[in-house]
């Protein structure tokens, strides 16, 4: 079984501070960002359309992989819960899921998306187009 992840691109955004980054794409502070894709994956963009709803999967490279319980949304007035019952980035495999809209495709191999709450430099591991009607 091959369990190696492949980094297909990197995010370029104005968000640089993990402590103040929004927790979800629908919160204040989410930005328009660029995803620079590795040229090896250019053919994977075939038929991608401006305005498409995308599900962007990232590797949350700054997350603490040893944490298994968190206060939901970092709110210490809430009791701790297991990470699998939250959307915390801290988890054994810190995979991020971001729902964004494709605003533009720029040369060379750059997707412009919004709104995105990911840190500048976050690795991208996959992109899926959300089917219409969902």
């Amino acid at each position: 079984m091959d369990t190696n992840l492949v980094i297909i691109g990197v995010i370029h955004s104005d968000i640089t501070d993990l402590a103040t980054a929004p927790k979800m794409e629908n919160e204040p502070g989410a930005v328009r960002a660029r995803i620079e894709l590795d040229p090896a994956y250019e053919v994977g963009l075939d038929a991608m359309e401006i305005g498409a709803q995308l599900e962007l999967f990232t590797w949350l490279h700054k997350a603490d992989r040893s944490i298994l319980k968190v206060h939901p949304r970092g709110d210490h007035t809430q009791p701790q819960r297991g990470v699998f019952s939250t959307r915390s980035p801290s988890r054994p495999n810190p995979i991020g899921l971001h729902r964004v809209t494709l605003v533009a495709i720029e040369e060379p191999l750059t997707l412009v998306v919004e709104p995105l709450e990911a840190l500048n430099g976050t690795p991208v591991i996959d992109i899926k187009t959300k089917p219409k009607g969902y």
Side-chain angles (χ1 to χ4, degrees):
M1 175 185 347
D2 181 2
T3 58
N4 294 319
L5 286 175
V6 175
I7 305 303
I8 65 166
V10 65
I11 291 173
H12 299 286
S13 83
D14 293 334
I15 302 172
T16 58
D17 181 32
L18 182 61
T20 59
K23 298 189 183 318
M24 296 282 292
E25 64 270 1
N26 60 355
E27 293 184 357
V31 298
R32 180 175 282 197
R34 288 174 165 66
I35 302 165
E36 182 181 343
L37 293 177
D38 183 311
Y41 304 103
E42 180 176 10
V43 72
L45 294 178
D46 185 46
M48 181 142 322
E49 298 177 353
I50 305 304
Q53 301 299 299
L54 305 178
E55 292 176 336
L56 180 66
F57 294 83
T58 60
W59 189 258
L60 302 173
H61 62 297
K62 302 243 177 179
D64 186 337
R65 297 178 73 179
S66 67
I67 294 176
L68 293 177
K69 289 188 87 171
V70 296
H71 294 281
R73 303 185 62 72
D75 181 354
H76 289 269
T77 66
Q78 299 293 317
Q80 285 192 327
R81 298 173 64 174
V83 295
F84 303 133
S85 66
T86 73
R87 291 202 42 159
S88 172
S90 297
R91 52 198 329 108
N93 291 303
I95 297 171
L97 171 61
H98 315 269
R99 292 177 179 96
V100 297
T101 300
L102 180 60
V103 176
I105 301 175
E106 298 177 344
E107 296 297 329
L109 296 172
T110 300
L111 305 180
V112 181
V113 299
E114 67 180 9
L116 186 60
E117 79 286 8
L119 291 173
N120 186 57
T122 298
V124 176
I125 58 174
D126 206 353
I127 301 168
K128 296 185 180 194
T129 300
K130 187 175 174 185
K132 292 183 182 188
Y134 279 83

